[in-house]
Amino acid sequence: MAESGAFKTLNDKDVVSTRTLLHEAIPITGTIVSGTYADGNIKNPPHGMYQSVYDYPYLSSSANHIFDITVGIGTQSGLTVASQPDKKKNIYNQMAQLLVGYDHTGSIQRFDEDGNIIGGGTKLDSVFVIPFSRLLVKDEIKKGTFQLELGVVSAHDQAGAVFAKRIQITDYSGSDGYFVNSPVGEYGVLYATASAGATVLALNKRYPVGLLYYQAGIAVISGSVFNDSVDGGILHTGIGSTCLLTDSGESGFNAVTASTTQAIATAIRNRIYNVQFNNTTELNSTIYFCRANHQEFNYSTNPTYTNASKIRVKTNSSDEPISYITTIGLYNEQNELMATAKLSEPLKKTPSTEFTIRCRLDY
Amino acid sequence: MGFLDNTGDIILDVVLTDHGRKELSKGDGSFKITKFAFGDEEIDYSLFDSTHASGSSYYDLSILQTPILEAFTDNAASMKTKLVTYENLELLFLPILELNELKSSVQRHSEGAFIVAVDRYTEDDDESSTTNGIGLDSGGKEVPGVIFGESLDRGGAIMIDQGLDTNQISTKQSIDPDLRETEYTIQIDNRFGSIVDAKGNQLELSYIDDDDIAYYVVSEEEATAVRSISNLTKANESPIAGPRGSRLAFKIKSSMDLNTSTYLFTTLGGESTLTNRTPAGDTTLLYHIDSMVRITGMNSGYSLDIPVRFVKFKS
């Protein structure tokens, strides 16, 4: 039997919770990062520990923070750091304790090149770190979608000539080869391949050059991407290590020893050709099935529905009553209006029709 | 072979109302959706043309072309008119709510609204013949349409009758129990006043939403503000021309803010004059705020907006 009145109670079968993953493509072109706004979109905090990149001059209220760049040098890197040694060590330790965690003695573990921490192997002790803004990452970076392209022409240049030879860093195995032994969730290994120019890499293979933490939205990349094989890096000796700074010579990432974090961050920015990934938003929804059965909701309390109490849409009592739905209201037990939904056009309701309107509330 | 009609299943995105967000933010489980209703507030049913020369397919063409607005998030502004279920599909008449102004004590003021005098001075001053108050006339009688917002034992009241307003059915016929309203919601801006019954007894407040709109739910069971009028069959007993259902009667008690301060008047209102008690028919300058009291039948969903003007003596 139909419930009389204006309200209909939702039973257990009328309410269902669902979880949906939404993905957005996030492309960041190198020109925004390195020159479109003449560095008006670059903020250097006075403590000098990192550099922030915005998508528009940051003094504008329209600007959105998109990522930071910082440098971390572990105590076992073998580099003798003269500029900001403590800050670079602190950054490394901060990132490592957060992203890799501690061993059984409580010591901070180092970044591992292939993610096999227990198995030992090569560690990443000289890295630059790119924490992406939550605005871009949302709930996580979608596995297998991350791409970072860096210009690796040896000569120093900040006008784009460095992009004649490029490497592409991807988490190509991320979708099915990720790790779960990090305190901050899942991560994948970043691999570098040549993407433009001839004889870019020392060997024609994928080099593991970093780690991408999907939920944290942080990329940790080895400085070896700017070094040739003589300097312990991945680049071909034919092109040599990159000259990151005007006066650093072809020392590649080893320039970090004599330069500030923000100077190195600027140098790296000017070698970013492109960054792109897809983010993921976990959408939890409750769907309310609002069912209008044939014998329900056929009349209206709209003041225009009657004229001197007579229903306008009927001539005789045997005529079908007609009503038109434009809005759905969702109420609590006390009849307080909690949420509303609108139809795009009036929906005709008669005793000959039935509708199930699914109302989705996203959280 | 044509495509199957898939219009029977529709998915819509829901937006929380401001009150819904407030309840959700409490985190105490008070946000729980348990029922739904359908609304049709954009529809003008007078556009239904059952004499259209082109046939029945054209009767509701204008209605179906009605553009629909996006959802309002103000809970008080949405779902003002609802669709309603009655088992009987052969109803030709539906009940309405109507202001009962048959007696002077429940009439609107000649200004077109109910006037709430928010303090004793505005009601009646010092009860001398030279009073500035606007609640009494020069003969000492209560002015129709003036509700005494402080001294609740005097002054006018608001009365609403419910039933089938048609002379095609005798008042002696009983109204279908499904069509009879036994419970009402009264909405009033809580900054301005509260609802009391016709004897001045405070009615229980149901809740106040985020926009300071207070909701009072009154029912016939409580026998305070609602009573049956099925037995009233004479024409001069109700404006409802046909079978009668129930009657709601109440007064408005002015808030402490309006009673003691002019702040809300100067912020939200204006100034106007009304005739005072002096034999010469002088006028009194008043602060005023125009507002609305909404009555909604809980069973039928039918609602009625009643204009109310709160006034306070200025000079």
Side-chain angles (χ1 to χ4, degrees):
Chain A
M1 198 172 89
E3 271 179 86
S4 290
F7 298 101
K8 183 173 179 183
T9 305
L10 293 158
N11 63 38
D12 291 346
K13 291 176 182 170
D14 295 330
V15 184
V16 64
S17 294
T18 63
R19 176 176 168 269
T20 315
L21 298 180
L22 291 183
H23 303 293
E24 296 171 298
I26 307 294
I28 305 169
T29 63
T31 51
I32 288 179
V33 175
S34 61
T36 299
Y37 301 110
D39 284 1
N41 61 327
I42 307 302
K43 187 192 272 186
N44 287 303
H47 49 64
M49 294 182 76
Y50 62 85
Q51 187 174 76
S52 296
V53 181
Y54 289 73
D55 64 354
Y56 197 68
Y58 64 83
L59 291 176
S60 164
S61 59
S62 305
N64 295 301
H65 177 217
I66 53 177
F67 64 82
D68 300 308
I69 303 181
T70 187
V71 170
I73 307 296
T75 52
Q76 298 178 62
S77 69
L79 296 175
T80 305
V81 180
S83 172
Q84 297 180 308
D86 291 339
K87 289 182 177 177
K88 287 168 185 165
K89 183 187 77 179
N90 291 347
I91 286 286
Y92 185 91
N93 286 341
Q94 178 198 347
M95 291 295 165
Q97 70 179 19
L98 188 72
L99 302 174
V100 192
Y102 307 92
D103 65 12
H104 65 282
T105 67
S107 302
I108 298 170
Q109 300 194 103
R110 296 147 68 196
F111 290 104
D112 193 279
E113 186 184 70
D114 61 4
N116 185 355
I117 297 169
I118 295 171
T122 306
K123 301 294 180 185
L124 306 176
D125 291 314
S126 177
V127 298
F128 60 94
V129 182
I130 306 179
F132 290 95
S133 160
R134 183 59 57 195
L135 180 74
L136 303 188
V137 172
K138 298 288 177 65
D139 288 331
E140 65 177 270
I141 294 171
K142 187 183 178 189
K143 298 176 186 75
T145 65
F146 183 84
Q147 289 180 20
L148 166 64
E149 231 175 326
L150 297 172
V152 291
V153 166
S154 163
H156 176 264
D157 179 80
Q158 294 196 343
V162 294
F163 298 128
K165 291 179 186 288
R166 299 195 299 273
I167 59 168
Q168 187 178 53
I169 297 170
T170 63
D171 65 329
Y172 89 102
S173 65
S175 55
D176 58 359
Y178 58 89
F179 298 89
V180 293
N181 57 345
S182 161
V184 292
E186 297 149 353
Y187 67 100
V189 176
L190 291 170
Y191 292 90
T193 53
S195 61
T199 57
V200 175
L201 295 180
L203 297 171
N204 184 21
K205 69 166 197 174
R206 285 196 177 88
Y207 283 92
V209 294
L211 303 168
L212 178 64
Y213 293 85
Y214 295 110
Q215 283 85 27
I218 298 175
V220 178
I221 300 169
S222 168
S224 66
V225 296
F226 294 117
N227 293 355
D228 67 10
S229 54
V230 174
D231 288 330
I234 65 170
L235 301 179
H236 196 281
T237 50
I239 62 169
S241 296
T242 56
C243 180
L244 284 175
L245 303 167
T246 322
D247 53 357
S248 66
E250 293 186 4
S251 58
F253 195 69
N254 294 342
V256 74
T257 57
S259 304
T260 64
T261 293
Q262 289 173 348
I264 291 294
T266 299
I268 294 170
R269 265 194 309 109
N270 283 286
R271 287 181 175 269
I272 292 178
Y273 183 74
N274 188 43
V275 185
Q276 67 184 68
F277 57 84
N278 287 4
N279 68 20
T280 302
T281 306
E282 186 178 314
L283 206 58
N284 291 294
S285 307
T286 303
I287 297 176
Y288 299 92
F289 290 86
C290 301
R291 305 180 204 277
N293 295 325
H294 64 92
Q295 76 277 38
E296 295 172 333
F297 300 109
N298 294 313
Y299 295 96
S300 171
T301 59
N302 189 315
T304 65
Y305 193 68
T306 55
N307 182 16
S309 272
K310 184 188 161 294
I311 298 171
R312 285 184 198 267
V313 297
K314 292 177 98 176
T315 307
N316 302 303
S317 60
S318 58
D319 292 343
E320 277 197 333
I322 303 169
S323 59
Y324 299 87
I325 304 168
T326 66
T327 313
I328 297 96
L330 301 175
Y331 292 81
N332 68 5
E333 197 57 39
Q334 289 74 44
N335 293 343
E336 299 168 16
L337 182 61
M338 297 284 109
T340 58
K342 298 291 286 193
L343 290 159
S344 60
E345 59 183 27
L347 191 62
K348 186 176 181 174
K349 178 72 186 72
T350 71
S352 311
T353 55
E354 290 197 344
F355 297 110
T356 298
I357 300 178
R358 288 189 289 168
C359 293
R360 188 180 64 200
L361 186 54
D362 296 329
Y363 295 94
Chain B
M1 186 176 289
F3 292 113
L4 288 170
D5 179 7
N6 63 357
T7 56
D9 193 4
I10 301 154
I11 189 156
L12 300 174
D13 283 333
V14 174
V15 292
L16 290 173
T17 61
D18 45 9
H19 184 63
R21 285 198 300 271
K22 181 183 171 191
E23 293 298 302
L24 187 60
S25 71
K26 288 180 184 172
D28 60 359
S30 56
F31 180 86
K32 188 176 182 194
I33 290 168
T34 60
K35 55 183 87 168
F36 71 92
F38 291 124
D40 64 350
E41 52 214 355
E42 288 99 341
I43 302 298
D44 178 359
Y45 284 91
S46 66
L47 297 175
F48 191 88
D49 180 6
S50 58
T51 60
H52 198 287
S54 301
S56 57
S57 301
Y58 292 81
Y59 289 178
D60 60 359
L61 190 62
S62 300
I63 290 177
L64 291 171
Q65 289 173 340
T66 304
I68 309 296
L69 290 166
E70 286 185 299
F72 295 144
T73 53
D74 182 352
N75 61 303
S78 295
M79 297 294 292
K80 289 200 287 287
T81 65
K82 300 181 183 73
L83 302 194
V84 64
T85 300
Y86 294 118
E87 264 196 81
N88 184 354
L89 297 178
E90 298 199 341
L91 295 171
L92 191 58
F93 297 94
L94 286 183
I96 62 163
L97 303 180
E98 192 169 344
L99 258 181
N100 183 338
E101 299 185 272
L102 295 177
K103 292 181 180 173
S104 63
S105 60
V106 290
Q107 279 174 357
R108 276 174 297 159
H109 194 272
S110 56
E111 294 284 312
F114 286 96
I115 305 289
V116 180
V118 299
D119 56 28
R120 282 182 189 273
Y121 196 86
T122 311
E123 290 169 1
D124 192 18
D125 196 3
D126 55 0
E127 299 187 2
S128 75
S129 59
T130 57
T131 181
N132 286 312
I134 51 88
L136 301 178
D137 63 17
S138 58
K141 291 181 180 173
E142 292 175 0
V143 176
V146 176
I147 296 172
F148 287 30
E150 183 174 343
S151 48
L152 301 168
D153 54 338
R154 298 191 296 164
I158 297 173
M159 186 178 284
I160 290 108
D161 285 4
Q162 184 257 347
L164 300 178
D165 190 30
T166 174
N167 53 20
Q168 295 186 41
I169 309 175
S170 164
T171 56
K172 292 178 182 171
Q173 295 268 9
S174 293
I175 193 167
D176 186 325
D178 274 353
L179 304 182
R180 195 167 169 282
E181 198 65 74
T182 57
E183 203 171 25
Y184 295 88
T185 300
I186 307 170
Q187 289 170 245
I188 185 172
D189 193 318
N190 195 53
R191 295 170 297 178
F192 305 153
S194 56
I195 302 296
V196 297
D197 68 16
K199 293 176 183 170
N201 301 311
Q202 186 72 49
L203 296 177
E204 190 181 347
L205 175 66
S206 183
Y207 71 97
I208 301 171
D209 76 8
D210 61 298
D211 301 311
D212 258 335
I213 304 296
Y215 292 74
Y216 297 80
V217 178
V218 290
S219 71
E220 198 175 317
E221 278 180 15
E222 294 158 3
T224 50
V226 184
R227 72 178 183 92
S228 171
I229 54 169
S230 303
N231 58 332
L232 303 180
T233 55
K234 293 178 184 168
N236 62 356
E237 291 177 318
S238 172
I240 299 291
R244 284 128 190 204
S246 59
R247 171 173 291 169
L248 170 67
F250 63 91
K251 291 181 175 180
I252 296 169
K253 179 184 178 184
S254 58
S255 70
M256 192 58 78
D257 281 348
L258 294 195
N259 185 277
T260 57
S261 159
T262 58
Y263 174 73
L264 287 173
F265 285 102
T266 54
T267 308
L268 305 172
E271 293 176 11
S272 55
T273 57
L274 283 177
T275 307
N276 62 29
R277 192 180 172 185
T278 53
D282 290 343
T283 57
T284 294
L285 183 60
L286 301 154
Y287 294 107
H288 76 247
I289 299 174
D290 289 333
S291 184
M292 200 76 86
V293 173
R294 177 175 296 157
I295 315 299
T296 307
M298 292 286 277
N299 300 332
S300 68
Y302 196 95
S303 64
L304 186 65
D305 289 340
I306 299 167
V308 174
R309 171 171 280 191
F310 294 87
V311 298
K312 186 179 180 71
F313 173 79
K314 183 181 181 188
S315 63

